[in-house]
């Protein structure tokens, strides 16, 4: 029998908030210090071995579609493992699906962002219905009678997995159906029809090519009504207490996000109610899109944090060539580079979340421009961070039990859904063109605090943003990447220790950069950066 040696202890029994200096500081800085105790409690729960295990279990037992009962009656239900329900129970109990709307207060969106950032580190699939429910509220409010009926349920904190009319439940979750087979980015191509039923409601006929979390209680759906593309709320049960005519054709066989179900559906005269103005479906549902895009940035930042925490934790225990891996200079460089990416993503995400708590003109401009920019760049970086973190664990990183394969498979979806990379970059250009004050807002946001590197970088960027390049679609990714890098540098210069800001500026604003991590130039304090990123488990 061989002796087990030189293996790290599992990363568990830790508080995901207080073991994460960057997150904790951001929570305080961005206006949610009041939530620290409850976030710490959530972080400590999620970090327990039994809750970490729930994430593994929910992914090992993916949901199953039950189309019919044994007699041949339609069911169109999806069965989830109890681990999925347990995780959703934790998320709702913490209010991650609606707390900023149920209890509005300064810092509410930041506090909720910190909670979902921690949740996604333990299990990402449940984040999908949580994000959609959170995002649905501003859209639902565009129809006061609908809001009056549904918001009390959406604000409920007692998760209710029963498949029954929502009005009989303790709480409700909301999904969305926009993407059709023939086009998801260009929603004007939607062909699903909405026919007036004569009583003020509509009947939907058509399909959706992607409709995730199909056991949600209702869905915001786009369909062509007599006045054009409109937004509807389509419940799973009709007001008469019948199953609505929503047929689930099949569940997608996905790369990752295995615990969650994503379905292809058909509507055969499904009951639905108009939300917002008829014919203005895209502007109505896009309200929701801003919040779900923010959630993509939060989700990818959280996944990067977990990948980096796992990598640093491993390297602090594993010895190779007579030294801890963390002390091998080249490994220190790799870990520090990963930690910088993660810290910059977290800082920007939490700053952006604060813009959702504030309502001045500058915050509106930041929400409009920085949300798609952050979604683009942060979600693009996440798979690379996961990949490199996996390698830090060597062969064990490639093994499912290490969690890194799950994180790696999870990361691309945040980039694809709710507007893929190119669509996000084009959206940034559009927003820049439409908002005359955005240049001033960004200039203020990019305050260089006397740092010459940011001053030069931001100066060039602002010139490009106000010049012809802003209309050059082919260069949109370059421009948006640089905007994000400048914003991240500015945040780190203002709020992070100098060794972090220096290394970020030296590697991201100057220098060669490149296609891998571990390329930090000489002179950066890589050891200090890694020490800051370590998940200190004795919190
Ligand atoms: C796991 C998962 C869950 C999902 N869940 C849902 C859901 O619940 N509800 C829902 O409605 N949808 C959902 N989606 C669908 C998702 O939002 C769409 O796949 C996405 O918006 C892209 O649409 P599409 O697949 O039709 O690709 P297309 O629109 O065909 O785009 C393909 C590519 O072309 C690029 N592109 C498009 N236009 C341009 C342009 N003008 N210039 C340059 N490039 C361009 C896009 O960026 C993209 O990379 C889900 C997707 C996934 C993977």
């Amino acid at each position: 029998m061989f002796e087990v040696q030189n293996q790290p202890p599992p990363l568990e029994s830790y508080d995901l908030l207080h073991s994460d200096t960057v997150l904790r500081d951001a929570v305080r800085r961005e206006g949610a210090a009041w939530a620290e105790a409850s976030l710490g409690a959530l972080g400590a729960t999620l970090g327990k071995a039994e809750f970490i295990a729930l994430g593994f279990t929910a992914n090992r037992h993916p949901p199953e579609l039950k189309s019919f009962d044994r007699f041949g009656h339609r069911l169109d239900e999806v069965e989830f493992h109890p681990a999925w329900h347990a995780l959703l129970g934790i998320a709702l109990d913490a209010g991650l699906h609606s707390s900023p709307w149920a209890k509005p207060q300064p810092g509410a969106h930041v506090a909720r962002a910190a909670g979902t950032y921690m949740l996604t580190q333990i299990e990402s699939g449940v984040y999908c219905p949580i994000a959609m429910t959170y995002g649905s509220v501003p859209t639902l409010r565009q129809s006061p009678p609908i809001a009056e009926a549904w918001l009390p349920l959406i604000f409920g904190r007692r998760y209710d997995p029963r498949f029954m009319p929502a009005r009989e439940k303790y709480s409700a979750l909301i999904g969305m159906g926009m993407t059709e087979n023939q086009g998801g980015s260009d929603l004007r191509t939607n062909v699903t029809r909405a026919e007036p039923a004569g009583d003020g409601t509509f009947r939907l006929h058509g399909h959706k090519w992607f409709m995730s979390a199909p056991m949600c209680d209702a869905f915001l759906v786009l369909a062509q009504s007599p006045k054009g593309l409109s937004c509807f709320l389509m419940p799973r049960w009709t007001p008469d207490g019948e199953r609505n005519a929503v047929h689930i054709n099949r569940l997608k066989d996905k790369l990752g996000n295995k615990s969650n179900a994503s379905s292809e559906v058909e509507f055969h005269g499904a009951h639905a109610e108009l939300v917002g103005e008829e014919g203005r479906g895209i502007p109505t549902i896009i309200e929701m899109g801003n919040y779900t895009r923010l959630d993509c940035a939060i989700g990818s930042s959280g996944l990067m944090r977990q990948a980096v925490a796992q990598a640093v934790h491993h390297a602090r225990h594993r010895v190779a060539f007579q030294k801890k891996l963390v002390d091998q200079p080249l490994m220190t460089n790799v870990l520090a580079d990963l930690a910088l990416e993660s810290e910059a993503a977290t800082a920007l995400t939490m700053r952006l979340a604060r813009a959702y708590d504030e309502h001045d003109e500058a915050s509106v401009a930041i929400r409009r421009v920085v949300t798609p920019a952050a979604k683009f760049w942060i979600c693009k970086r996440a798979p690379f961070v996961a990949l490199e973190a996996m390698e830090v664990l060597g062969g064990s990183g490639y093994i499912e039990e290490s969690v890194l394969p799950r994180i790696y498979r999870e990361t691309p979806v945040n980039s694809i859904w709710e507007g893929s990379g190119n669509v996000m970059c084009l959206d940034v250009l559009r927003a820049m063109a439409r908002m005359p004050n955005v240049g001033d807002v960004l200039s203020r946001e990019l305050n260089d605090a006397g740092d010459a590197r940011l001053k030069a970088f931001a100066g060039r960027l602002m010139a490009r943003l106000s010049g012809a390049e802003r209309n050059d679609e082919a260069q949109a990714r370059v421009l948006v990447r640089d905007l994000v890098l400048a914003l991240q540098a500015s945040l780190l210069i203002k709020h992070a220790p100098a060794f972090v800001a220096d290394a970020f500026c030296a590697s991201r604003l100057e220098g060669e950069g490149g296609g891998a991590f571990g390329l930090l130039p000489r002179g950066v304090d890589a050891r200090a950066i890694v020490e800051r990123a370590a998940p200190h488990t004795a919190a």
Side-chain angles (χ1 to χ4, degrees):
M1 192 65 188
F2 73 92
E3 195 185 337
V4 175
Q5 286 184 47
N6 193 21
Q7 291 285 349
L11 178 54
E12 60 189 30
S13 306
Y14 72 118
D15 166 353
L16 273 70
L17 179 71
H18 290 106
S19 63
D20 183 346
T21 309
V22 173
L23 177 64
R24 192 208 51 208
D25 288 357
V27 164
R28 292 177 183 168
R29 181 173 70 239
E30 304 298 357
W34 53 266
E36 201 172 320
S38 60
L39 287 170
L42 176 64
T45 299
L46 292 170
K48 285 184 184 158
E50 65 260 41
F51 292 99
I52 293 172
L54 288 176
F56 282 93
T57 308
N59 282 277
R60 215 172 24 247
H61 301 280
E64 277 181 35
L65 175 61
K66 302 284 173 202
S67 301
F68 299 96
D69 71 8
R70 70 189 177 109
F71 306 105
H73 304 112
R74 285 209 78 94
L75 289 175
D76 297 297
E77 293 181 33
V78 179
E79 267 181 21
F80 289 87
H81 191 274
W84 163 272
H85 295 303
L87 286 157
L88 265 181
I90 295 167
L92 263 77
D93 185 54
L96 303 182
H97 62 308
S98 63
S99 56
W101 310 117
K103 274 194 183 175
Q105 58 184 309
H109 288 280
V110 170
R112 184 255 170 204
T116 49
Y117 177 97
M118 295 189 291
L119 174 74
T120 200
Q121 295 184 50
I122 301 308
E123 215 296 291
S124 292
V126 293
Y127 197 166
C128 173
I130 293 296
M132 293 191 293
T133 304
Y134 165 64
S136 72
V137 174
T139 292
L140 293 173
R141 281 191 167 146
Q142 295 186 40
S143 281
I146 292 181
E148 199 180 313
W150 282 88
L151 292 192
L153 288 163
I154 291 172
F155 295 168
R157 285 196 176 199
R158 181 168 165 189
Y159 171 57
D160 192 338
R162 293 173 298 167
F163 186 51
M164 56 176 9
R167 60 173 182 266
E168 296 167 29
K169 294 179 63 173
Y170 299 114
S171 57
L173 293 173
I174 308 293
M176 68 177 176
M178 300 193 291
T179 308
E180 296 188 359
N181 186 301
Q182 71 283 353
S185 305
D186 187 358
L187 294 170
R188 291 164 306 180
T189 64
N190 267 209
V191 291
T192 294
R193 282 178 297 115
E195 292 176 355
D199 59 358
T201 68
F202 288 78
R203 298 284 175 269
L204 303 187
H205 300 266
H207 82 283
K208 293 293 162 184
W209 183 234
F210 278 91
M211 203 175 85
S212 289
M215 293 307 280
C216 284
D217 297 280
F219 294 81
L220 284 162
V221 172
L222 287 180
Q224 302 283 357
S225 73
K227 289 190 182 161
L229 194 59
S230 307
C231 179
F232 296 90
L233 186 71
M234 181 195 73
R236 286 296 315 268
W237 293 78
T238 68
D240 299 335
E242 303 289 330
R243 282 166 200 256
N244 206 357
V246 180
H247 297 174
I248 303 177
N249 286 349
R250 59 175 172 161
L251 301 186
K252 302 280 196 187
D253 185 4
K254 295 178 285 185
L255 167 70
N257 197 250
K258 296 278 186 188
S259 65
N260 183 25
S262 298
S263 62
E264 291 169 22
V265 289
E266 282 182 20
F267 310 139
H268 295 274
H271 162 88
E273 288 179 59
L274 180 69
V275 180
E277 198 182 322
E278 193 178 345
R280 291 191 49 78
I282 293 178
T284 303
I285 208 164
I286 221 65
E287 272 279 306
M288 176 178 189
N290 289 332
Y291 290 90
T292 44
R293 286 169 181 178
L294 167 68
D295 267 350
C296 291
I298 298 169
S300 287
S301 301
L303 289 169
M304 282 196 260
R305 167 60 193 165
Q306 181 62 202
V308 170
Q310 293 286 349
V312 174
H313 174 76
H314 181 88
R316 278 157 56 95
H317 291 89
R318 180 85 166 176
V319 174
F321 302 97
Q322 292 91 45
K323 266 194 204 168
K324 294 246 173 83
L325 280 176
V326 75
D327 295 323
Q328 295 284 5
L330 186 50
M331 182 58 94
T332 319
N333 191 322
V334 170
L335 291 169
D337 208 358
L338 287 170
L340 287 179
E341 196 67 38
S342 167
E343 174 157 359
T346 304
L348 181 58
T349 295
M350 299 301 283
R351 164 67 189 98
L352 179 59
R354 178 158 64 84
Y356 284 79
D357 277 319
E358 294 172 348
H359 304 288
D360 56 303
E361 220 183 316
S363 299
V364 172
I366 287 172
R367 291 205 293 260
R368 186 66 191 87
V369 173
V370 180
T371 307
K375 179 186 184 300
F376 164 63
W377 187 244
I378 290 172
C379 297
K380 276 281 172 271
R381 298 301 286 155
F384 297 102
V385 168
L387 175 63
E388 195 71 63
M390 186 186 294
E391 193 165 317
V392 172
L393 274 69
S396 299
Y398 198 70
I399 304 305
E400 289 292 338
E401 288 161 311
S402 77
V403 85
L404 285 157
R406 174 147 63 94
I407 292 175
Y408 181 58
R409 284 195 305 271
E410 190 67 36
T411 45
V413 70
N414 284 334
S415 188
I416 293 174
W417 92 301
E418 278 303 77
S420 310
N422 289 354
V423 171
M424 288 299 88
C425 292
L426 296 175
D427 197 42
V428 174
L429 297 194
R430 225 178 352 260
M432 298 276 317
R434 280 192 193 153
M435 305 193 82
N437 66 340
V438 78
D440 293 342
V441 171
L442 289 178
S443 292
R444 277 199 301 278
E445 197 68 16
L446 291 176
N447 176 354
D448 56 55
D451 185 284
R453 289 165 299 193
L454 178 58
K455 191 178 169 61
F457 189 89
R460 287 193 300 273
L461 174 69
M462 291 314 294
R464 287 154 66 205
L465 284 174
S466 54
E469 199 173 332
R470 202 177 70 190
N471 302 318
D472 184 354
E473 289 193 8
Q475 290 302 306
R477 282 190 180 219
V478 182
L479 201 59
V480 174
R481 176 202 60 189
D482 290 351
L483 172 61
V484 172
L485 292 178
L487 289 165
Q488 291 178 326
S490 167
L491 286 164
L492 297 181
I493 288 166
K494 279 182 273 186
H495 306 301
F499 54 80
V500 170
D502 282 344
F504 188 88
C505 293
S507 56
R508 270 66 169 176
L509 302 190
E510 297 182 319
E512 294 165 21
F517 289 95
L519 305 176
L520 295 181
R522 282 197 190 90
V524 305
D525 192 348
R527 292 174 76 96
I529 298 168
V530 176
E531 177 57 25
R532 175 172 165 84
H536 295 284
T537 50

